Amino acid sequence: LVTAQRIDREQSCESVLQCVLRCEVIVEGEMRVYGIEVEITDVNDNAPSFREAETELRMSEMTAPGEMTAPGSRFPLRDAQDPDAGANALQSYELSGDAHFSLAVQAGPGGDQRPELVLAKALDREEAAFHELVLRASDGGEPARTGTARIRVAVLDANDNAPVFSQAEYTVRVPEDVPVGSALVTLTATDADEGLNGHVKYSLKKITEKASKIFELAAETGAITLVRSLDFEEGDSYELLVQAHDGGELFDTAKVAITVTDVNDNAPELTVSSALSAVSEDAPAGTVVALLHVQDRDSGANGEVRCSLDGGVPFRLEKSFEDYYRVVTARELDREEVPEYNVTVRAADGGSPALRSSAVLALRVLDVNDNAPVFAEARYSA
């Protein structure tokens, strides 16, 4: 078994900690199948990277006790992405550039690191209208790889009410065949301020590259719309982080969990992996004449496949290895009675309605000397 091309673990096993590639080897003469598993180990070939190399944050100055931007206030930052695994993945963040700010890193529910900008000293717009910072992300490789993002903080006049989402987390379940253009959910945040400080806009603060091509967020309405067809077999769940911010750039954050449900949109795939073209008429019952492979990309009942042979033929199906079946003789054959067979193998999934597929196996019966000559009459007179 040799590699046919360069293997990229991050491309072959997206978001999977242990990358295992599987294949099967068929020994045709023996009608046997062997499963092979190849584990792909990670190397540190990716540096941490930020989706945006430069970010601007707009913060209000503190004008009175209890103001939103008092020392200790925290502001979520865009996290870095590193597709490598284990020690080669993203390990740490560090912040440099200004004594007014420090860095805190929170652990997410999945163990991911979420950087936050912490206000260490009160801001004064009259003292400094802008602050320039550098956020550096490092992985644990030897040597370590790093990525940086520049953060520019603009100091604004005070705004004392932040937008508030109607709920902290939105959960959506949609079938994979929902039409493109459908609005899946509309997020709502309200702000008690008036004018520009109370005008709420919505933006995506965390979304994967894959999800960004499927979903679109309307900045003014908070509606999340489908812009590309869903496919349960390509992805069954997505998580978005949405921020609602007002004209003064105060904000609230909500999580959107989108679950894609399966529909029966894939028919079973039936393949004749190995087959005989002919079999002797004196072959004993149970002789293997073909090896079949069946699979269905759907899940649950939609992906459960039942196989059967058309009736009236002296053959039957037997389960082999995982998704493989054997076609075997059910009894001895008689070439003088039937010289060849067209055996139809059928597969149907458990969907409603069920999707089906079939294949035809042509098989000749080879002659053996099992008949003696027979005279037309037992006695002749001349």
Side-chain angles (χ1 to χ4, degrees):
L1 186 68
V2 300
T3 55
Q5 62 185 35
R6 179 182 179 273
I7 297 176
D8 189 333
R9 187 196 68 85
E10 290 74 37
Q11 181 177 357
S12 301
C13 301
E14 181 182 1
S15 304
V16 176
L17 186 60
Q18 185 180 33
C19 181
V20 178
L21 305 183
R22 295 177 174 84
C23 58
E24 295 89 30
V25 170
I26 298 172
V27 181
E28 293 192 354
E30 301 177 8
M31 292 295 174
R32 297 186 65 181
V33 182
Y34 298 89
I36 296 178
E37 294 184 352
V38 181
E39 182 176 357
I40 310 302
T41 57
D42 184 49
V43 296
N44 192 23
D45 56 346
N46 293 279
S49 63
F50 292 88
R51 190 179 178 89
E52 296 176 354
E54 295 188 5
T55 302
E56 181 174 289
L57 298 179
R58 300 164 69 83
M59 300 181 186
S60 299
E61 63 180 345
M62 189 181 75
T63 57
E67 180 62 44
M68 292 293 293
T69 51
S73 299
R74 296 182 174 224
F75 304 88
L77 299 173
R78 281 284 182 90
D79 57 350
Q81 302 293 322
D82 189 337
D84 290 325
N88 295 328
L90 176 66
Q91 299 294 325
S92 63
Y93 291 93
E94 62 177 321
L95 182 73
S96 60
D98 197 298
H100 282 80
F101 299 93
S102 63
L103 181 69
V105 180
Q106 300 292 334
D112 56 316
Q113 299 186 57
R114 298 179 177 177
E116 293 181 344
L117 192 63
V118 181
L119 185 63
K121 294 172 57 179
L123 299 174
D124 187 341
R125 186 177 182 277
E126 288 67 37
E127 179 183 71
F130 298 95
H131 298 267
E132 303 288 345
L133 311 171
V134 175
L135 179 63
R136 177 176 285 102
S138 303
D139 63 24
E142 290 291 339
R145 290 174 174 260
T146 62
T148 60
R150 302 187 68 84
I151 303 170
R152 180 181 174 90
V153 179
V155 184
L156 309 175
D157 285 331
N159 173 27
D160 58 355
N161 286 286
V164 178
F165 275 105
S166 59
Q167 55 194 82
E169 182 172 343
Y170 294 79
T171 303
V172 186
R173 292 179 63 87
V174 294
E176 62 176 320
D177 60 353
V178 65
V180 171
S182 300
L184 306 183
V185 64
T186 298
L187 283 62
T188 304
T190 56
D191 193 309
D193 290 321
E194 290 184 344
L196 184 62
N197 288 335
H199 182 68
V200 178
K201 288 189 177 183
Y202 304 88
S203 62
L204 288 166
K205 298 307 292 182
K206 184 176 183 181
I207 185 171
T208 64
E209 189 70 27
K210 182 177 180 181
S212 66
K213 299 176 182 177
I214 302 175
F215 307 104
E216 186 177 80
L217 173 67
E220 294 291 340
T221 65
I224 296 178
T225 306
L226 188 68
V227 295
R228 201 190 78 179
S229 296
L230 293 169
D231 189 338
F232 175 85
E233 288 69 40
E234 290 185 3
D236 59 0
S237 64
Y238 300 90
E239 184 176 299
L240 319 178
L241 208 60
V242 179
Q243 187 178 91
H245 51 89
D246 60 22
E249 295 302 322
L250 296 182
F251 62 88
D252 190 19
T253 305
K255 185 173 79 170
V256 181
I258 300 174
T259 301
V260 182
T261 58
D262 185 44
V263 298
N264 193 24
D265 58 346
N266 292 282
E269 297 176 9
L270 188 60
T271 306
V272 179
S273 300
S274 181
L276 301 179
S277 60
V279 61
S280 177
E281 64 177 322
D282 64 349
T287 298
V288 181
V289 298
L291 192 63
L292 310 174
H293 180 253
V294 63
Q295 63 179 358
D296 193 312
R297 296 180 64 228
D298 292 316
S299 65
N302 294 333
E304 294 176 359
V305 182
R306 301 179 302 277
C307 293
S308 62
L309 296 179
D310 281 359
V313 293
F315 303 96
R316 68 174 185 269
L317 278 178
E318 292 182 352
K319 192 71 183 294
S320 178
F321 170 79
E322 293 186 351
D323 298 326
Y324 287 86
Y325 291 84
R326 292 187 295 263
V327 180
V328 302
T329 56
R331 55 177 172 80
E332 286 193 356
L333 307 175
D334 189 340
R335 187 199 65 83
E336 289 72 33
E337 181 181 336
V338 181
E340 66 177 41
Y341 293 91
N342 286 324
V343 183
T344 302
V345 179
R346 302 190 183 277
D349 62 26
S352 181
L355 297 181
R356 306 173 188 275
S357 62
S358 64
V360 177
L361 181 67
L363 191 66
R364 291 185 296 108
V365 181
L366 301 178
D367 185 43
V368 297
N369 192 22
D370 57 347
N371 291 283
V374 178
F375 279 105
E377 300 178 19
R379 181 174 181 175
Y380 293 84
S381 296

